[in-house]
Amino acid sequence: MSSHIVFRRIQVRSFRILSSVDFEPAARLNVISGDNGQGKTSVIEAVYLVATSRSFRTEHVAETLSTGASQAVIAARIEEAGVVREQRVALGARARSYRIDGKRPASLASYATQTPVVVFHPGDLTLVSGPAAGRRRLLDRVALFYEPVSADHRTRYQRALRARQATLEERGPRSPELDAYEALIAEHGVAFAGYRRRTAERLIELLSETFGRVAAPGLRLEAVYQAGGSEDREHFRAALAGRRLEDRRRGRPSFGPQRDELELALGSMKARAHASQGQQRVLALALKLAELSCLESARGADPVLLLDDVSSELDPARTGAVYRFLEAARSQVFVTTTRPELLATPELVGAERADFAVVSGRVSRV
Ligand SMILES: Nc1ncnc2c1ncn2[C@@H]1O[C@H](COP(=O)(O)OP(=O)(O)OP(=O)(O)O)[C@@H](O)[C@H]1O
Ligand SMILES: [Mg+2]
């Protein structure tokens, strides 16, 4: 039985259009409505950031500080199995700090796995239609929950890979320090490749289930993980040594998990190239629901769900499937919409639902 996670209070200062926001969400459904450009997505982004340490909209956190501000702060009071904790992120143009109950976490990975959240937003379509990097990021995020040490191997792997590439380009393929770099790359690359494969296997298993739940009957999904590296250290090292000339010429390494792909096909057609818009949406949704199931089983808690503009992205039948799923999931949910009237929830009793209006970055209860 998984434990229940609930955001009890959210405070935001100087984050995007949100200069000062302070609200207390309901335990089940929170509907955040407002016209375009008022700050709905920013609210969801702030909740995601305080939980995961990252934004789903940008890799450049400096962009998220309100114009002219030197620091943004997001703080959340979170209850899990009756215990309350305070998570707090302060973002400066260069430095960032993360605190749990006022204390610095042992690692960023330990901070980012405290409060599992899953976001579904319009940009997620690129999970299916976009480059493999988006699918690898999904795998890495899920791996973090199953095996937090994976982040460490990934960082060390990438660092050594960059050092080898720079050496190759600046000093040439006979440079003596390449052997040491390649041994290091192989050591962490093998571990990293293992996390990727195990995570892909878990995700694919759950994906066939979630896909069946949201897709039209008869549509057949094939998901295959293709490793770009190796889980055998000697093989990995030899592959690197044998590709020095090629990697130098190409300007990037041609072997390793940075080349992994999670191949998705409908029927026998590659989804990225051939699926219709609607099919891509359904597949993206199934991927997110699989992420949700993975996080739930890895963390033993119901992840909090953040749905940005979901109904604008899906047809009514699929939207219905999402909401039925949410009802069953028991999670706390935050939904943004320009049309709150479409979200009737007669089954929720008073305190289970709260409605908020966002106008020019101000959030108020309605
Ligand atoms: N760093 C920033 N500082 C101040 N304002 C910002 C910053 N980044 C974005 N904004 C402003 O925030 C507003 C957009 O907020 P947001 O994307 O949250 O709106 P939204 O309500 O989700 O809109 P939509 O319904 O169109 O998705 C825009 O007006 C944008 O100019
Ligand atoms: Mg928005």
Side-chain angles (χ1 to χ4, degrees):
M1 166 98 183
S2 46
S3 69
H4 203 50
I5 294 185
V6 179
F7 281 80
R8 292 292 181 197
R9 183 174 181 190
I10 292 158
Q11 292 170 285
V12 186
R13 298 287 179 275
S14 305
F15 180 78
R16 295 205 187 264
I17 196 178
L18 313 174
S19 54
S20 178
V21 162
D22 194 338
F23 68 103
E24 297 185 359
R28 283 289 279 119
L29 179 64
N30 295 280
V31 179
I32 299 162
S33 60
D35 292 336
N36 294 132
Q38 300 301 306
K40 301 180 298 298
T41 301
S42 305
V43 172
I44 297 271
E45 187 184 20
V47 175
Y48 187 85
L49 209 152
V50 77
T52 66
S53 83
R54 310 188 65 156
S55 162
F56 57 84
R57 283 210 275 198
T58 177
E59 307 256 314
H60 310 288
V61 169
E63 276 172 26
T64 66
L65 305 195
S66 297
T67 315
S70 58
Q71 193 185 51
V73 176
I74 308 165
R77 187 184 302 151
I78 297 155
E79 186 178 328
E80 178 172 359
V83 180
V84 175
R85 64 174 170 267
E86 179 95 12
Q87 291 188 221
R88 186 177 185 277
V89 174
L91 309 167
R94 280 190 207 90
R96 307 178 205 175
S97 83
Y98 305 92
R99 294 286 183 273
I100 300 171
D101 291 328
K103 293 198 258 326
R104 192 197 284 262
S107 66
L108 199 51
S110 80
Y111 183 93
T113 49
Q114 285 288 314
T115 303
V117 302
V118 172
V119 66
F120 189 62
H121 65 106
D124 282 330
L125 275 185
T126 59
L127 270 179
V128 179
S129 62
R135 293 178 286 283
R136 288 194 292 264
R137 265 198 300 278
L138 173 68
L139 289 175
D140 290 345
R141 188 171 142 59
V142 171
L144 197 61
F145 282 84
Y146 281 110
E147 307 180 81
V149 71
S150 62
D152 208 37
H153 284 289
R154 190 178 71 227
T155 309
R156 288 166 195 266
Y157 171 78
Q158 287 166 340
R159 200 181 295 150
L161 201 62
R162 277 195 299 273
R164 168 187 178 265
Q165 192 64 33
T167 305
L168 266 181
E169 289 173 22
E170 285 156 23
R171 311 218 184 132
R174 285 166 194 275
S175 171
E177 61 269 51
L178 286 172
D179 288 340
Y181 284 137
E182 289 173 357
L184 199 60
I185 293 169
E187 178 191 338
H188 295 296
V190 160
F192 183 21
Y195 298 125
R196 277 270 180 80
R197 178 185 48 77
R198 285 191 294 278
T199 307
E201 285 166 359
R202 290 167 171 139
L203 190 80
I204 286 171
E205 192 184 330
L206 292 165
L207 179 63
S208 22
E209 187 197 312
T210 58
F211 185 76
R213 214 180 310 151
V214 293
L219 203 55
R220 192 169 52 83
L221 168 70
E222 239 176 76
V224 181
Y225 166 72
Q226 284 160 354
S230 167
E231 288 181 61
D232 178 285
R233 202 193 278 208
E234 197 36 50
H235 176 214
F236 206 124
R237 209 198 47 71
L240 291 169
R243 288 166 185 248
R244 287 181 184 177
L245 280 172
E246 182 185 347
D247 290 356
R248 182 181 149 135
R249 185 165 41 78
R250 288 183 178 215
R252 61 191 142 85
S254 58
F255 187 86
Q258 76 282 359
R259 313 246 313 159
D260 284 356
E261 170 63 295
L262 179 65
E263 191 79 66
L264 302 166
L266 294 175
S268 55
M269 312 252 259
K270 283 189 182 173
R272 189 179 168 190
H274 301 293
S276 74
Q277 284 277 1
Q279 289 171 337
Q280 289 184 351
R281 284 179 187 153
V282 166
L283 191 43
L285 175 63
L287 274 168
K288 299 307 291 194
L289 295 177
E291 174 189 353
L292 177 77
S293 301
C294 282
L295 263 52
E296 189 193 339
S297 76
R299 178 62 175 68
D302 298 317
V304 172
L305 289 173
L306 309 174
L307 308 179
D308 191 26
D309 247 344
V310 166
S311 39
S312 71
E313 285 300 312
L314 297 167
D315 61 54
R318 301 287 96 75
T319 308
V322 175
Y323 289 118
R324 279 196 303 284
F325 178 83
L326 294 184
E327 274 172 55
R330 306 183 317 136
S331 301
Q332 187 182 31
V333 181
F334 294 79
V335 189
T336 70
T337 179
T338 49
R339 302 179 63 192
E341 69 278 7
L342 296 183
L343 279 169
T345 51
E347 73 285 0
L348 293 181
V349 297
E352 291 179 328
R353 169 170 174 164
D355 283 69
F356 300 93
V358 187
V359 181
S360 303
R362 306 213 161 264
V363 176
S364 55
R365 184 94 192 240
V366 287

